[in-house]
Each structure stands twice: as structure tokens, then as C-alpha cells.
mmCIF file of all heavy atoms in Angstrom:
data_model
loop_
_atom_site.group_PDB
_atom_site.id
_atom_site.type_symbol
_atom_site.label_atom_id
_atom_site.label_comp_id
_atom_site.label_asym_id
_atom_site.label_seq_id
_atom_site.Cartn_x
_atom_site.Cartn_y
_atom_site.Cartn_z
ATOM 1 N N TYR H 123 -91.653 -42.150 81.705
ATOM 2 C CA TYR H 123 -90.928 -42.238 80.448
ATOM 3 C C TYR H 123 -91.894 -41.775 79.362
ATOM 4 O O TYR H 123 -93.073 -41.479 79.657
ATOM 5 C CB TYR H 123 -90.412 -43.663 80.187
ATOM 6 C CG TYR H 123 -91.482 -44.690 79.880
ATOM 7 C CD1 TYR H 123 -91.882 -44.938 78.573
ATOM 8 C CD2 TYR H 123 -92.092 -45.422 80.899
ATOM 9 C CE1 TYR H 123 -92.878 -45.875 78.290
ATOM 10 C CE2 TYR H 123 -93.078 -46.351 80.629
ATOM 11 C CZ TYR H 123 -93.456 -46.577 79.320
ATOM 12 O OH TYR H 123 -94.438 -47.502 79.040
ATOM 13 N N LEU H 124 -91.431 -41.664 78.118
ATOM 14 C CA LEU H 124 -92.262 -41.135 77.040
ATOM 15 C C LEU H 124 -92.497 -42.169 75.945
ATOM 16 O O LEU H 124 -91.565 -42.882 75.547
ATOM 17 C CB LEU H 124 -91.603 -39.896 76.423
ATOM 18 C CG LEU H 124 -91.344 -38.720 77.368
ATOM 19 C CD1 LEU H 124 -90.668 -37.582 76.610
ATOM 20 C CD2 LEU H 124 -92.619 -38.242 78.039
ATOM 21 N N GLU H 125 -93.730 -42.231 75.483
ATOM 22 C CA GLU H 125 -94.057 -42.973 74.268
ATOM 23 C C GLU H 125 -94.292 -41.950 73.164
ATOM 24 O O GLU H 125 -95.123 -41.042 73.314
ATOM 25 C CB GLU H 125 -95.291 -43.846 74.474
ATOM 26 C CG GLU H 125 -95.037 -44.966 75.475
ATOM 27 C CD GLU H 125 -96.210 -45.894 75.675
ATOM 28 O OE1 GLU H 125 -97.298 -45.625 75.110
ATOM 29 O OE2 GLU H 125 -96.041 -46.902 76.377
ATOM 30 N N VAL H 126 -93.554 -42.089 72.081
ATOM 31 C CA VAL H 126 -93.551 -41.094 71.010
ATOM 32 C C VAL H 126 -94.035 -41.760 69.726
ATOM 33 O O VAL H 126 -93.538 -42.826 69.340
ATOM 34 C CB VAL H 126 -92.136 -40.513 70.799
ATOM 35 C CG1 VAL H 126 -92.162 -39.423 69.730
ATOM 36 C CG2 VAL H 126 -91.577 -39.981 72.118
ATOM 37 N N GLU H 127 -94.996 -41.143 69.068
ATOM 38 C CA GLU H 127 -95.491 -41.617 67.776
ATOM 39 C C GLU H 127 -95.283 -40.513 66.740
ATOM 40 O O GLU H 127 -95.662 -39.361 66.971
ATOM 41 C CB GLU H 127 -96.969 -41.984 67.868
ATOM 42 C CG GLU H 127 -97.239 -43.118 68.852
ATOM 43 C CD GLU H 127 -98.720 -43.426 68.973
ATOM 44 O OE1 GLU H 127 -99.235 -44.180 68.122
ATOM 45 O OE2 GLU H 127 -99.345 -42.899 69.906
ATOM 46 N N ILE H 128 -94.678 -40.878 65.620
ATOM 47 C CA ILE H 128 -94.347 -39.902 64.578
ATOM 48 C C ILE H 128 -94.858 -40.419 63.239
ATOM 49 O O ILE H 128 -94.514 -41.532 62.816
ATOM 50 C CB ILE H 128 -92.828 -39.660 64.494
ATOM 51 C CG1 ILE H 128 -92.260 -39.284 65.869
ATOM 52 C CG2 ILE H 128 -92.523 -38.573 63.474
ATOM 53 C CD1 ILE H 128 -90.747 -39.141 65.894
ATOM 54 N N ASP H 129 -95.687 -39.608 62.593
ATOM 55 C CA ASP H 129 -96.125 -39.929 61.238
ATOM 56 C C ASP H 129 -95.101 -39.376 60.254
ATOM 57 O O ASP H 129 -94.732 -38.199 60.345
ATOM 58 C CB ASP H 129 -97.489 -39.311 60.957
ATOM 59 C CG ASP H 129 -98.577 -39.888 61.849
ATOM 60 O OD1 ASP H 129 -98.420 -41.029 62.314
ATOM 61 O OD2 ASP H 129 -99.580 -39.176 62.099
ATOM 62 N N PRO H 130 -94.615 -40.177 59.309
ATOM 63 C CA PRO H 130 -93.634 -39.684 58.338
ATOM 64 C C PRO H 130 -94.136 -38.441 57.617
ATOM 65 O O PRO H 130 -95.340 -38.298 57.362
ATOM 66 C CB PRO H 130 -93.476 -40.866 57.377
ATOM 67 C CG PRO H 130 -93.856 -42.063 58.179
ATOM 68 C CD PRO H 130 -94.945 -41.590 59.106
ATOM 69 N N PRO H 131 -93.226 -37.505 57.297
ATOM 70 C CA PRO H 131 -93.636 -36.264 56.627
ATOM 71 C C PRO H 131 -94.154 -36.528 55.224
ATOM 72 O O PRO H 131 -93.554 -37.285 54.458
ATOM 73 C CB PRO H 131 -92.336 -35.446 56.593
ATOM 74 C CG PRO H 131 -91.235 -36.460 56.677
ATOM 75 C CD PRO H 131 -91.770 -37.583 57.514
ATOM 76 N N GLN H 132 -95.286 -35.915 54.899
ATOM 77 C CA GLN H 132 -95.872 -36.021 53.571
ATOM 78 C C GLN H 132 -96.412 -34.648 53.177
ATOM 79 O O GLN H 132 -97.469 -34.227 53.653
ATOM 80 C CB GLN H 132 -96.991 -37.068 53.539
ATOM 81 C CG GLN H 132 -96.501 -38.489 53.797
ATOM 82 C CD GLN H 132 -97.632 -39.502 53.772
ATOM 83 O OE1 GLN H 132 -98.813 -39.135 53.710
ATOM 84 N NE2 GLN H 132 -97.288 -40.765 53.807
ATOM 85 N N ASP H 133 -95.652 -33.953 52.355
ATOM 86 C CA ASP H 133 -96.039 -32.609 51.909
ATOM 87 C C ASP H 133 -96.298 -31.674 53.083
ATOM 88 O O ASP H 133 -97.238 -30.868 53.081
ATOM 89 C CB ASP H 133 -97.299 -32.676 51.018
ATOM 90 C CG ASP H 133 -97.096 -33.536 49.788
ATOM 91 O OD1 ASP H 133 -95.971 -33.514 49.243
ATOM 92 O OD2 ASP H 133 -98.036 -34.256 49.401
ATOM 93 N N GLY H 134 -95.479 -31.785 54.110
ATOM 94 C CA GLY H 134 -95.620 -30.933 55.282
ATOM 95 C C GLY H 134 -94.845 -31.513 56.446
ATOM 96 O O GLY H 134 -94.165 -32.535 56.319
ATOM 97 N N PRO H 135 -94.925 -30.867 57.614
ATOM 98 C CA PRO H 135 -94.183 -31.348 58.771
ATOM 99 C C PRO H 135 -94.722 -32.681 59.276
ATOM 100 O O PRO H 135 -95.899 -33.011 59.096
ATOM 101 C CB PRO H 135 -94.370 -30.239 59.810
ATOM 102 C CG PRO H 135 -95.644 -29.570 59.412
ATOM 103 C CD PRO H 135 -95.684 -29.643 57.918
ATOM 104 N N ALA H 136 -93.854 -33.459 59.920
ATOM 105 C CA ALA H 136 -94.272 -34.719 60.513
ATOM 106 C C ALA H 136 -95.169 -34.447 61.719
ATOM 107 O O ALA H 136 -94.991 -33.459 62.442
ATOM 108 C CB ALA H 136 -93.050 -35.523 60.941
ATOM 109 N N ALA H 137 -96.166 -35.305 61.924
ATOM 110 C CA ALA H 137 -97.036 -35.207 63.095
ATOM 111 C C ALA H 137 -96.403 -36.003 64.230
ATOM 112 O O ALA H 137 -96.107 -37.193 64.070
ATOM 113 C CB ALA H 137 -98.423 -35.738 62.772
ATOM 114 N N VAL H 138 -96.184 -35.352 65.383
ATOM 115 C CA VAL H 138 -95.523 -35.981 66.519
ATOM 116 C C VAL H 138 -96.469 -35.960 67.714
ATOM 117 O O VAL H 138 -96.993 -34.906 68.085
ATOM 118 C CB VAL H 138 -94.213 -35.253 66.883
ATOM 119 C CG1 VAL H 138 -93.530 -35.935 68.057
ATOM 120 C CG2 VAL H 138 -93.277 -35.202 65.678
ATOM 121 N N ARG H 139 -96.693 -37.122 68.310
ATOM 122 C CA ARG H 139 -97.528 -37.246 69.505
ATOM 123 C C ARG H 139 -96.677 -37.854 70.629
ATOM 124 O O ARG H 139 -96.083 -38.915 70.443
ATOM 125 C CB ARG H 139 -98.751 -38.118 69.229
ATOM 126 C CG ARG H 139 -99.680 -37.543 68.162
ATOM 127 C CD ARG H 139 -100.798 -38.494 67.794
ATOM 128 N NE ARG H 139 -100.314 -39.726 67.182
ATOM 129 C CZ ARG H 139 -99.951 -39.846 65.918
ATOM 130 N NH1 ARG H 139 -99.982 -38.779 65.106
ATOM 131 N NH2 ARG H 139 -99.534 -40.999 65.437
ATOM 132 N N VAL H 140 -96.657 -37.188 71.767
ATOM 133 C CA VAL H 140 -95.826 -37.619 72.892
ATOM 134 C C VAL H 140 -96.718 -37.870 74.099
ATOM 135 O O VAL H 140 -97.496 -36.990 74.494
ATOM 136 C CB VAL H 140 -94.756 -36.561 73.231
ATOM 137 C CG1 VAL H 140 -93.908 -37.012 74.420
ATOM 138 C CG2 VAL H 140 -93.872 -36.296 72.008
ATOM 139 N N THR H 141 -96.605 -39.057 74.682
ATOM 140 C CA THR H 141 -97.420 -39.436 75.833
ATOM 141 C C THR H 141 -96.524 -39.800 77.010
ATOM 142 O O THR H 141 -95.783 -40.786 76.938
ATOM 143 C CB THR H 141 -98.321 -40.635 75.498
ATOM 144 O OG1 THR H 141 -99.127 -40.334 74.357
ATOM 145 C CG2 THR H 141 -99.211 -40.995 76.683
ATOM 146 N N PRO H 142 -96.556 -39.029 78.106
ATOM 147 C CA PRO H 142 -95.835 -39.443 79.314
ATOM 148 C C PRO H 142 -96.547 -40.635 79.964
ATOM 149 O O PRO H 142 -97.769 -40.659 80.084
ATOM 150 C CB PRO H 142 -95.899 -38.210 80.212
ATOM 151 C CG PRO H 142 -96.284 -37.074 79.316
ATOM 152 C CD PRO H 142 -97.131 -37.683 78.248
ATOM 153 N N VAL H 143 -95.759 -41.627 80.367
ATOM 154 C CA VAL H 143 -96.299 -42.842 80.977
ATOM 155 C C VAL H 143 -95.731 -42.977 82.387
ATOM 156 O O VAL H 143 -94.507 -42.908 82.576
ATOM 157 C CB VAL H 143 -95.943 -44.094 80.143
ATOM 158 C CG1 VAL H 143 -96.507 -45.347 80.795
ATOM 159 C CG2 VAL H 143 -96.472 -43.942 78.716
ATOM 160 N N CYS H 144 -96.602 -43.161 83.373
ATOM 161 C CA CYS H 144 -96.154 -43.314 84.761
ATOM 162 C C CYS H 144 -95.222 -44.515 84.869
ATOM 163 O O CYS H 144 -95.522 -45.597 84.354
ATOM 164 C CB CYS H 144 -97.347 -43.505 85.683
ATOM 165 S SG CYS H 144 -98.456 -42.082 85.758
ATOM 166 N N ALA H 145 -94.092 -44.329 85.545
ATOM 167 C CA ALA H 145 -93.083 -45.384 85.577
ATOM 168 C C ALA H 145 -92.603 -45.737 86.976
ATOM 169 O O ALA H 145 -92.245 -46.886 87.231
ATOM 170 C CB ALA H 145 -91.878 -44.960 84.725
ATOM 171 N N ALA H 146 -92.535 -44.785 87.895
ATOM 172 C CA ALA H 146 -91.839 -44.977 89.168
ATOM 173 C C ALA H 146 -92.484 -46.072 90.003
ATOM 174 O O ALA H 146 -93.708 -46.116 90.163
ATOM 175 C CB ALA H 146 -91.799 -43.672 89.954
ATOM 176 N N ARG H 147 -91.652 -46.968 90.557
ATOM 177 C CA ARG H 147 -92.105 -47.971 91.518
ATOM 178 C C ARG H 147 -92.084 -47.399 92.933
ATOM 179 O O ARG H 147 -92.860 -47.835 93.781
ATOM 180 C CB ARG H 147 -91.212 -49.208 91.435
ATOM 181 C CG ARG H 147 -91.193 -49.895 90.074
ATOM 182 C CD ARG H 147 -92.557 -50.477 89.729
ATOM 183 N NE ARG H 147 -92.563 -51.120 88.430
ATOM 184 C CZ ARG H 147 -92.317 -52.428 88.244
ATOM 185 N NH1 ARG H 147 -92.014 -53.187 89.277
ATOM 186 N NH2 ARG H 147 -92.363 -52.943 87.038
ATOM 187 N N ALA H 148 -91.181 -46.485 93.200
ATOM 188 C CA ALA H 148 -91.105 -45.798 94.490
ATOM 189 C C ALA H 148 -91.323 -44.314 94.242
ATOM 190 O O ALA H 148 -90.652 -43.726 93.400
ATOM 191 C CB ALA H 148 -89.756 -46.044 95.153
ATOM 192 N N VAL H 149 -92.279 -43.730 94.944
ATOM 193 C CA VAL H 149 -92.613 -42.322 94.764
ATOM 194 C C VAL H 149 -92.297 -41.575 96.056
ATOM 195 O O VAL H 149 -92.803 -41.925 97.123
ATOM 196 C CB VAL H 149 -94.100 -42.146 94.399
ATOM 197 C CG1 VAL H 149 -94.452 -40.668 94.273
ATOM 198 C CG2 VAL H 149 -94.420 -42.873 93.091
ATOM 199 N N TYR H 150 -91.450 -40.577 95.957
ATOM 200 C CA TYR H 150 -91.086 -39.773 97.125
ATOM 201 C C TYR H 150 -92.134 -38.692 97.362
ATOM 202 O O TYR H 150 -92.592 -38.040 96.422
ATOM 203 C CB TYR H 150 -89.716 -39.116 96.917
ATOM 204 C CG TYR H 150 -88.556 -40.084 96.944
ATOM 205 C CD1 TYR H 150 -88.092 -40.676 95.766
ATOM 206 C CD2 TYR H 150 -87.913 -40.392 98.131
ATOM 207 C CE1 TYR H 150 -87.031 -41.556 95.785
ATOM 208 C CE2 TYR H 150 -86.847 -41.272 98.160
ATOM 209 C CZ TYR H 150 -86.403 -41.863 96.986
ATOM 210 O OH TYR H 150 -85.356 -42.740 97.003
ATOM 211 N N GLU H 151 -92.486 -38.510 98.630
ATOM 212 C CA GLU H 151 -93.395 -37.440 99.013
ATOM 213 C C GLU H 151 -92.862 -36.763 100.265
ATOM 214 O O GLU H 151 -92.198 -37.397 101.086
ATOM 215 C CB GLU H 151 -94.806 -37.968 99.284
ATOM 216 C CG GLU H 151 -95.504 -38.532 98.052
ATOM 217 C CD GLU H 151 -96.931 -38.963 98.336
ATOM 218 O OE1 GLU H 151 -97.325 -38.913 99.528
ATOM 219 O OE2 GLU H 151 -97.628 -39.343 97.387
ATOM 220 N N VAL H 152 -93.150 -35.480 100.402
ATOM 221 C CA VAL H 152 -92.767 -34.714 101.583
ATOM 222 C C VAL H 152 -94.045 -34.177 102.219
ATOM 223 O O VAL H 152 -94.850 -33.531 101.547
ATOM 224 C CB VAL H 152 -91.813 -33.555 101.223
ATOM 225 C CG1 VAL H 152 -91.500 -32.724 102.464
ATOM 226 C CG2 VAL H 152 -90.526 -34.095 100.607
ATOM 227 N N HIS H 153 -94.240 -34.464 103.493
ATOM 228 C CA HIS H 153 -95.415 -33.985 104.218
ATOM 229 C C HIS H 153 -94.963 -33.178 105.433
ATOM 230 O O HIS H 153 -94.026 -33.569 106.126
ATOM 231 C CB HIS H 153 -96.275 -35.163 104.690
ATOM 232 C CG HIS H 153 -96.795 -36.021 103.580
ATOM 233 N ND1 HIS H 153 -97.940 -35.712 102.882
ATOM 234 C CD2 HIS H 153 -96.320 -37.163 103.021
ATOM 235 C CE1 HIS H 153 -98.156 -36.627 101.963
ATOM 236 N NE2 HIS H 153 -97.179 -37.531 102.023
ATOM 237 N N GLU H 154 -95.635 -32.086 105.673
ATOM 238 C CA GLU H 154 -95.400 -31.302 106.881
ATOM 239 C C GLU H 154 -96.534 -31.588 107.870
ATOM 240 O O GLU H 154 -97.713 -31.473 107.520
ATOM 241 C CB GLU H 154 -95.350 -29.805 106.562
ATOM 242 C CG GLU H 154 -94.147 -29.417 105.699
ATOM 243 C CD GLU H 154 -94.032 -27.922 105.507
ATOM 244 O OE1 GLU H 154 -94.827 -27.192 106.150
ATOM 245 O OE2 GLU H 154 -93.170 -27.493 104.734
ATOM 246 N N ILE H 155 -96.169 -31.976 109.084
ATOM 247 C CA ILE H 155 -97.148 -32.362 110.096
ATOM 248 C C ILE H 155 -97.033 -31.410 111.275
ATOM 249 O O ILE H 155 -95.940 -31.242 111.835
ATOM 250 C CB ILE H 155 -96.915 -33.819 110.542
ATOM 251 C CG1 ILE H 155 -97.009 -34.757 109.333
ATOM 252 C CG2 ILE H 155 -97.917 -34.219 111.614
ATOM 253 C CD1 ILE H 155 -96.650 -36.187 109.632
ATOM 254 N N GLU H 156 -98.141 -30.808 111.639
ATOM 255 C CA GLU H 156 -98.169 -29.884 112.768
ATOM 256 C C GLU H 156 -98.039 -30.671 114.078
ATOM 257 O O GLU H 156 -98.851 -31.557 114.369
ATOM 258 C CB GLU H 156 -99.472 -29.088 112.759
ATOM 259 C CG GLU H 156 -99.617 -28.127 113.914
ATOM 260 C CD GLU H 156 -98.501 -27.108 113.942
ATOM 261 O OE1 GLU H 156 -98.306 -26.402 112.933
ATOM 262 O OE2 GLU H 156 -97.804 -27.042 114.973
ATOM 263 N N CYS H 157 -97.004 -30.360 114.853
ATOM 264 C CA CYS H 157 -96.734 -31.099 116.091
ATOM 265 C C CYS H 157 -96.762 -30.215 117.338
ATOM 266 O O CYS H 157 -96.435 -30.693 118.437
ATOM 267 C CB CYS H 157 -95.377 -31.807 115.993
ATOM 268 S SG CYS H 157 -95.271 -33.031 114.677
ATOM 269 N N ASP H 158 -97.145 -28.951 117.199
ATOM 270 C CA ASP H 158 -97.071 -28.035 118.338
ATOM 271 C C ASP H 158 -97.947 -28.471 119.508
ATOM 272 O O ASP H 158 -97.629 -28.214 120.670
ATOM 273 C CB ASP H 158 -97.476 -26.626 117.904
ATOM 274 C CG ASP H 158 -96.419 -25.976 117.022
ATOM 275 O OD1 ASP H 158 -95.320 -26.555 116.923
ATOM 276 O OD2 ASP H 158 -96.700 -24.929 116.409
ATOM 277 N N GLU H 159 -99.067 -29.140 119.222
ATOM 278 C CA GLU H 159 -99.992 -29.526 120.294
ATOM 279 C C GLU H 159 -99.599 -30.841 120.961
ATOM 280 O O GLU H 159 -100.271 -31.267 121.908
ATOM 281 C CB GLU H 159 -101.401 -29.650 119.718
ATOM 282 C CG GLU H 159 -101.939 -28.384 119.081
ATOM 283 C CD GLU H 159 -102.014 -27.241 120.090
ATOM 284 O OE1 GLU H 159 -102.376 -27.506 121.250
ATOM 285 O OE2 GLU H 159 -101.692 -26.091 119.704
ATOM 286 N N GLN H 160 -98.560 -31.492 120.484
ATOM 287 C CA GLN H 160 -98.168 -32.782 121.044
ATOM 288 C C GLN H 160 -97.069 -32.603 122.081
ATOM 289 O O GLN H 160 -96.138 -31.826 121.886
ATOM 290 C CB GLN H 160 -97.707 -33.711 119.924
ATOM 291 C CG GLN H 160 -98.808 -33.972 118.885
ATOM 292 C CD GLN H 160 -98.336 -34.805 117.714
ATOM 293 O OE1 GLN H 160 -97.196 -35.272 117.695
ATOM 294 N NE2 GLN H 160 -99.207 -34.999 116.739
ATOM 295 N N SER H 161 -97.191 -33.344 123.172
ATOM 296 C CA SER H 161 -96.258 -33.176 124.283
ATOM 297 C C SER H 161 -95.311 -34.348 124.466
ATOM 298 O O SER H 161 -94.353 -34.262 125.250
ATOM 299 C CB SER H 161 -97.036 -32.941 125.581
ATOM 300 O OG SER H 161 -97.874 -34.046 125.862
ATOM 301 N N HIS H 162 -95.556 -35.480 123.783
ATOM 302 C CA HIS H 162 -94.654 -36.622 123.916
ATOM 303 C C HIS H 162 -94.716 -37.460 122.642
ATOM 304 O O HIS H 162 -95.640 -37.319 121.817
ATOM 305 C CB HIS H 162 -94.975 -37.469 125.150
ATOM 306 C CG HIS H 162 -96.399 -37.966 125.188
ATOM 307 N ND1 HIS H 162 -96.818 -39.038 124.483
ATOM 308 C CD2 HIS H 162 -97.490 -37.484 125.848
ATOM 309 C CE1 HIS H 162 -98.106 -39.256 124.705
ATOM 310 N NE2 HIS H 162 -98.530 -38.289 125.544
#
């Protein structure tokens, strides 16, 4: 998710800082495993 900090505009554009924050409790991963040498 994102944490966003914005300084109000003062004689120019507003300053915006965006920080992504790790959120997932379950993380999906895909792994490829070489199995050609296995017989059972």
C-alpha cells in the first residue's frame, strides 16, 4: 500500500512524497525445478 505525504502549496507546486509499504501476508512465488535426472 502507499503512504503519501503532501506539503501544502506555497508559491509553487505542492511537494508530494510517496512511499510503498510492504503489506502482503501471503506472497506467491513460482519456481521452476529441473526434474529430468529424477526417476521416481
Side-chain angles (χ1 to χ4, degrees):
Y123 70 91
L124 301 179
E125 293 182 354
V126 183
E127 298 178 83
I128 307 175
D129 296 335
Q132 295 179 352
D133 301 324
V138 181
R139 298 174 296 280
V140 179
T141 304
V143 180
C144 296
R147 300 295 179 92
V149 177
Y150 290 92
E151 294 184 354
V152 177
H153 299 276
E154 294 186 6
I155 302 174
E156 178 59 56
C157 298
D158 288 350
E159 301 300 321
Q160 300 176 4
S161 60
H162 56 80

